[in-house]
Amino acid sequence: VKVPVLGLFGGADQSNPPAKIKQWEDKLKELGKTNEMITYPDAPHAFFNDTRPSYRADAAKDALKRTLDWFDEYLIGSEMATPAATQGS
C-alpha cells in the first residue's frame, strides 16, 4: 500500500466484520500507513447505493463528505496525484 487508505463500512455488513476491519486498521498502522476506518453501525452492505433498499441516507451523506475531505487532504495537489505515486518501485 503506497497511498493513504480510507475504509467506509456498514456495521451490519456480514462480509466485513468489525474484528476484521480492526485487524486491517492495526496492520496498516503497524506498517506506518495512513488510514482511517469508519463503520456506520446500522448500515448494511451497499448503504451508499440509493437505488437499493440498503441505502442509508445519513451514512451515505457522511461517507461522501469524508471521501471528499480525504481526497482534498491526500490527493488533490499532493505528490500522490502523480502516476508515479501509484506505480510499483
Side-chain angles (χ1 to χ4, degrees):
V1 175
K2 295 186 178 200
V3 297
V5 176
L6 174 63
L8 303 166
F9 302 94
D13 183 348
Q14 300 294 332
S15 61
N16 294 302
K20 190 61 150 176
I21 295 166
K22 180 73 171 130
Q23 283 180 329
W24 295 335
E25 180 179 33
D26 291 346
K27 187 63 174 181
L28 287 167
K29 284 181 182 176
E30 176 186 320
L31 295 170
K33 305 299 180 178
T34 299
N35 79 96
E36 184 175 0
M37 300 293 165
I38 305 297
T39 301
Y40 299 93
D42 299 322
H45 182 79
F47 69 88
F48 200 88
N49 186 340
D50 66 358
T51 66
R52 296 176 57 168
S54 59
Y55 178 65
R56 299 296 183 271
D58 290 342
K61 182 178 178 181
D62 184 73
L64 177 59
K65 181 182 181 330
R66 287 178 184 271
T67 300
L68 295 176
D69 289 347
W70 191 265
F71 286 168
D72 282 344
E73 185 170 352
Y74 295 106
L75 182 62
I76 296 174
S78 78
E79 65 185 47
M80 286 185 208
T82 65
T86 58
Q87 295 176 359
S89 35

